[in-house]
């Protein structure tokens, strides 16, 4: 799991400035059970949500509050929010992972960092079976040729219309496979609230698209985007 720098005992400067940036040597790697995540490897399924087996493509209806709920100001129950998110995530996996494999992607290497308020994740690269890194734009182009973009509205991607320009479709596909997918894998590995605590953290993980497994990299380099590590 992540490399953690505990900040709970840090004495913050009285003038309101930030504490000194931690060094790589200040971080300690925490195995999955100690961080609070599941045992590895973490597995995910490519089965579409049960309701999708009888629904037409793009016909995913979010659960809405009743008229009475809205009149009384009732919020959507948290359990329903979680259930809806899990349903969208499952549809995302079922829609995108098989075409990614068909386009030659066998593994994904992803990174994450954050702390105190929020965790962040991003794609480092996709790999072929031979271990070669795949060009993300070329990969998105293959997915576009397969018609994957037409399925994105069903998973609530930020689609403008079926008639948007080709380069916009490519950009959207690129965003989905390098951002939305990675975020869902990170939450499965680290938990929905990763990065929220009195610490800063960084790490990386491998996703096996054939075996549908996620494994943290215990030897990840300190590559970060949203925190600062002193040189």
């Amino acid at each position: 799991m992540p490399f953690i720098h505990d900040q709970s005992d840090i004495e913050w400067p009285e003038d309101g400035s930030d504490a000194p940036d931690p060094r790589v040597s200040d971080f300690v790697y925490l195995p999955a059970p100690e961080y609070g995540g599941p045992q590895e490897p973490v597995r995910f399924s490519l089965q579409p949500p049960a309701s999708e087996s009888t629904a037409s493509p793009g016909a995913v209806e979010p659960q809405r509050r009743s008229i009475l709920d809205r009149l009384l100001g009732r919020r959507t129950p948290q359990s329903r929010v979680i259930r809806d998110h899990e349903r969208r995530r499952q549809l995302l996996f079922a829609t995108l992972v098989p075409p990614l494999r068909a386009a030659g992607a066998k593994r994904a290497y992803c990174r994450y960092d954050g702390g105190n308020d929020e965790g962040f994740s991003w794609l480092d690269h996709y790999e072929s079976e031979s271990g070669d890194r795949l060009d993300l734009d070329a990969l998105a182009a293959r997915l576009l040729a397969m018609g994957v973009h037409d399925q994105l509205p069903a998973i609530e991607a930020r689609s403008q219309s079926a008639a948007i320009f080709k380069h916009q479709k490519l950009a959207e596909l690129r965003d989905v496979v390098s951002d939305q997918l990675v975020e869902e894998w990170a939450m499965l590995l680290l938990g929905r609230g990763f990065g929220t605590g009195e610490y800063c953290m960084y790490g990386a993980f491998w996703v096996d698209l054939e075996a549908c497994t996620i494994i943290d990299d215990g030897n990840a380099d300190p590559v970060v985007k949203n925190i600062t590590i002193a040189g």
Side-chain angles (χ1 to χ4, degrees):
M1 301 307 273
F3 289 85
I4 296 285
H5 171 51
D6 186 0
Q7 297 178 310
S8 59
D9 295 328
I10 289 180
E11 294 186 8
W12 298 87
E14 295 182 359
D15 62 3
S17 60
D18 293 334
D21 295 326
R23 298 181 179 276
V24 173
S25 58
D26 294 327
F27 289 80
V28 178
Y29 185 76
L30 289 184
E34 293 184 32
Y35 182 71
Q39 293 288 341
E40 297 180 83
V42 177
R43 301 184 182 279
F44 59 94
S45 170
L46 301 185
Q47 283 293 113
S51 60
E52 295 306 308
S53 60
T54 56
S56 59
V60 180
E61 288 292 332
Q63 296 187 21
R64 296 185 174 88
R65 293 182 299 164
S66 68
I67 294 177
L68 184 59
D69 285 339
R70 281 177 279 178
L71 287 174
L72 297 178
R74 296 172 180 166
R75 296 184 178 182
T76 302
Q78 187 65 21
S79 60
R80 183 187 299 177
V81 173
I82 293 174
R83 188 166 60 248
D84 286 347
H85 175 259
E86 290 176 346
R87 190 162 168 268
R88 288 193 298 271
R89 177 176 64 199
Q90 200 55 42
L91 186 56
L92 187 75
F93 292 159
T95 301
L96 292 171
V97 173
L100 277 169
R101 296 195 303 201
K106 302 304 179 184
R107 289 173 294 275
Y109 190 63
C110 311
R111 297 188 183 275
Y112 58 86
D113 66 12
N116 293 298
D117 294 313
E118 191 174 3
F120 304 88
S121 59
W122 65 95
L123 175 73
D124 189 273
H125 64 274
Y126 282 101
E127 283 187 3
S128 66
E129 183 63 42
S130 62
D132 295 327
R133 295 192 179 196
L134 301 177
D135 180 81
L136 188 56
D137 289 329
L139 186 61
R142 294 191 196 107
L143 297 179
L144 182 63
M146 294 178 188
V148 175
H149 183 273
D150 297 335
Q151 302 176 54
L152 295 187
I155 53 177
E156 297 183 5
R158 293 180 289 276
S159 178
Q160 299 177 44
S161 74
I164 61 177
F165 296 114
K166 181 179 179 181
H167 72 274
Q168 291 175 297
K169 292 182 178 181
L170 283 171
E172 188 173 56
L173 276 169
R174 193 179 191 278
D175 175 70
V176 171
V177 299
S178 64
D179 182 12
Q180 295 184 43
L181 260 182
V182 174
E183 181 180 17
E184 295 298 341
W185 285 327
M187 285 192 289
L188 283 179
L189 177 69
L190 302 168
R192 289 175 62 90
F194 79 92
T196 53
E198 292 184 274
Y199 58 83
C200 57
M201 44 92 86
Y202 74 86
F205 58 87
W206 283 101
V207 181
D208 188 322
L209 301 181
E210 291 291 343
C212 297
T213 57
I214 311 168
I215 299 178
D216 201 62
D217 182 1
N219 297 302
D221 293 327
V223 177
V224 297
K225 287 186 175 181
N226 306 284
I227 67 172
T228 302
I229 299 178

